[in-house]
């Protein structure tokens, strides 16, 4: 029996055949579902639709008409307008499963479609997609933040499992904080490391990545296994003199980075103090080194 003939196989449509939509559509196709249509506006989306999904670009209403499951894989700022526009245009949404992939939005953004008879849920892959060929491999084993009405929860979680992911239930009211935690860790980490690479280049280090790789790998392993107990460095040691040298050097070399260093050093010290890793008197010395007036 062909996979597309197995019970429970879905016709899948993709609204937004970008990095995420093309990968999730391809993952569902590997699981035996059938991608029947996709929509997109850029040349890259057209190429991904053909190469990854095996379909040509269609109009959004045609995608919904042909699909049982529609992936709404558009940027966050576009999502509310897309959903309300589909509902206002009178597109027949009755019985259609609509799954958006936004981390920050919950079910409320799908309310106009739900009122028109659609079945809403959110499937957010906790992964970064770059548009490279190895994106599909990254889906396997990654977590998905799943939010759905209780009746649809088994369906949403089953789809994630079929794609090779791990469903993690996120309450609707927790979506914004959930996404803030993920973006703060992943996106800001990239910025911090890129900044460190630039600073090292300024003093003549030819391959900053090679220097940083083992250190950052160990630091990541430490925090994932040990939490804050894995913290090392001058802040947790209470080495105010070294911290002050850091601030002074950054003010001269990269003043735009100095404020970020101070803010993160204060946050690090605050957490270390609360965890009992840093003594109050050491925290006060650090505060003075960071140019503060009171410990918060």
């Amino acid at each position: 029996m062909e996979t597309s003939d197995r019970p429970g196989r879905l016709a899948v449509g993709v609204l937004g055949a970008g990095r995420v939509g093309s990968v999730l559509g391809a993952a569902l196709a590997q699981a035996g579902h059938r991608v029947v249509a996709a929509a997109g506006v850029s040349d890259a989306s057209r190429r991904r639709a053909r190469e990854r999904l095996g379909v040509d670009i269609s109009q959004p209403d045609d995608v919904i008409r042909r699909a049982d499951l529609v992936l709404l894989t558009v940027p966050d700022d576009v999502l509310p307008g897309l959903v309300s526009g589909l509902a206002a245009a009178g597109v027949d949404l009755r019985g259609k499963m609509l799954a958006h992939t936004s981390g920050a939005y919950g079910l409320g953004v799908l309310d106009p479609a739900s009122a028109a008879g659609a079945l809403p849920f959110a499937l957010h892959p906790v992964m970064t997609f770059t548009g490279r060929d190895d994106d599909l491999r990254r889906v396997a084993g990654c977590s998905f933040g799943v939010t759905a009405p209780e009746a649809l929860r088994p369906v949403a979680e089953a789809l994630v499992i079929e794609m090779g992911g791990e469903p993690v239930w996120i309450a609707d009211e927790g979506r914004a904080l959930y996404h803030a935690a993920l973006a703060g860790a992943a996106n800001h980490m990239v910025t911090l490391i890129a900044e460190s690479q630039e600073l090292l280049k300024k003093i003549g280090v030819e391959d900053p990545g090679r220097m940083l790789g083992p250190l950052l790998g160990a630091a990541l392993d430490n925090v994932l296994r040990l939490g804050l107990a894995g913290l090392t460095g001058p802040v947790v040691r209470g080495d105010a003199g070294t911290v002050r040298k850091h601030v002074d050097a950054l003010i001269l070399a990269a003043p735009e980075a100095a404020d970020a260093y101070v803010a993160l050093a204060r946050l690090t010290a605050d957490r270390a103090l609360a965890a009992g890793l840093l003594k109050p008197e050491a925290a006060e010395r650090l505060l003075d080194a960071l140019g503060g007036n009171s410990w918060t």
Side-chain angles (χ1 to χ4, degrees):
M1 178 184 295
E2 296 292 332
T3 56
S4 59
D5 295 331
R6 296 207 312 261
R9 299 302 89 185
L10 299 171
V12 178
V14 180
L15 292 185
R19 296 175 181 179
V20 177
S22 62
V23 168
L24 298 190
L28 287 168
Q30 284 189 348
H33 301 287
R34 185 166 56 94
V35 178
V36 294
V41 295
S42 69
D43 290 340
S45 293
R46 294 176 183 276
R47 185 181 69 253
R48 291 188 185 104
R50 289 192 299 269
E51 295 177 358
R52 288 187 174 178
L53 304 178
V55 297
D56 289 321
I57 291 295
S58 303
Q59 293 299 313
D61 56 346
D62 186 51
V63 174
I64 292 174
R65 179 183 60 80
R66 297 173 62 187
D68 305 310
L69 166 66
V70 181
L71 300 179
L72 305 179
T73 49
V74 296
D76 285 2
D77 289 348
V78 175
L79 182 59
L82 172 63
V83 176
S84 59
L86 291 172
V91 177
D92 189 0
L93 298 171
R94 291 172 297 176
K96 304 290 185 178
M97 288 183 282
L98 296 189
H100 76 68
T101 58
S102 167
Y105 281 110
L107 299 179
V109 72
L110 297 175
D111 281 349
S114 301
L119 306 175
F121 48 91
L123 303 178
H124 174 248
V126 186
M127 181 50 62
T128 177
F129 298 114
T130 63
R132 296 161 60 94
D133 290 339
D134 61 353
D135 281 350
L136 184 57
R137 175 180 55 79
R138 290 180 169 181
V139 173
C142 85
S143 297
F144 280 67
V146 176
T147 303
E150 195 60 36
L152 291 175
R153 180 172 176 173
V155 176
E157 292 180 341
L159 287 169
V160 170
I161 292 170
E162 286 189 318
M163 286 188 282
E166 178 183 354
V168 178
W169 182 254
I170 306 296
D172 196 44
E173 62 273 16
R175 295 288 296 195
L177 190 57
Y178 151 81
H179 195 241
L182 298 177
N187 302 158
H188 297 167
M189 179 183 69
V190 171
T191 302
L192 286 171
I193 295 172
E195 184 68 27
S196 294
Q197 289 177 311
E198 288 300 315
L199 293 172
L200 290 169
K201 286 179 181 178
K202 284 186 176 183
I203 58 169
V205 177
E206 293 184 0
D207 191 350
R210 184 179 179 86
M211 175 179 282
L212 289 168
L215 172 65
L216 297 177
L220 181 60
D221 179 65
N222 285 344
V223 70
L224 293 179
R225 288 189 301 110
L226 305 173
L228 197 65
L231 181 64
T232 63
V235 171
V236 74
R237 292 196 302 265
D239 193 345
T242 297
V243 170
R244 186 66 241 178
K245 287 181 179 180
H246 291 175
V247 175
D248 291 343
L250 286 169
I251 289 172
L252 291 175
E256 70 282 357
D259 287 343
Y261 179 95
V262 168
L264 287 171
R266 287 176 61 89
L267 179 60
T268 301
D270 193 36
R271 292 185 66 94
L273 180 64
L277 301 174
L278 184 65
K279 296 184 183 302
E281 57 270 25
E284 290 295 341
R285 290 195 299 271
L286 284 168
L287 177 64
D288 289 339
L290 293 167
N293 296 317
S294 63
W295 195 258
T296 56

